[in-house]
Amino acid sequence: MDYINVRADGRIELHVHAAITTEDGEKIAVFADGVLCPTPHLWSQQLRLNVTLFTSAAEYSWVNPIQGWAPGTVDFAKGEIRFRAYAA
């Protein structure tokens, strides 16, 4: 479930809930919030996210304490989101 809020300054606030399914079928919940920052090129925007992960699967419990920061870009023309996540 994703929510967006378009601010008066043109920034778009993001609130994202998603899930990752691992290769062995376990689920990891992903929660992210941040902003999509406008640039002069409408097809490419700057992305800034704060990311947390949670799972009840014992073998992936190491992701639970991670707080991540993920700068990146969104390319609407190509339909691509690219980012690098860093543990804080």
Side-chain angles (χ1 to χ4, degrees):
M1 181 177 300
D2 302 331
Y3 296 96
I4 65 169
N5 180 40
V6 180
R7 298 176 359 175
D9 65 0
R11 286 182 163 211
I12 299 172
E13 294 177 348
L14 304 169
H15 185 82
V16 178
H17 289 204
I20 297 169
T21 302
T22 64
E23 289 182 1
D24 56 351
E26 298 292 350
K27 300 283 187 186
I28 299 173
V30 179
F31 303 99
D33 67 330
V35 293
L36 191 64
C37 305
T39 65
H41 307 290
L42 294 177
W43 59 88
S44 181
Q45 304 291 305
Q46 297 296 312
L47 180 65
R48 302 291 181 259
L49 293 174
N50 296 302
V51 181
T52 56
L53 305 169
F54 176 77
T55 186
S56 58
E59 60 271 26
Y60 294 102
S61 64
W62 59 270
V63 305
N64 292 337
I66 295 174
Q67 172 69 43
W69 179 69
T73 59
V74 177
D75 187 327
F76 291 106
K78 294 180 181 177
E80 293 179 349
I81 299 173
R82 294 183 179 267
F83 62 88
R84 288 182 183 232
Y86 300 91

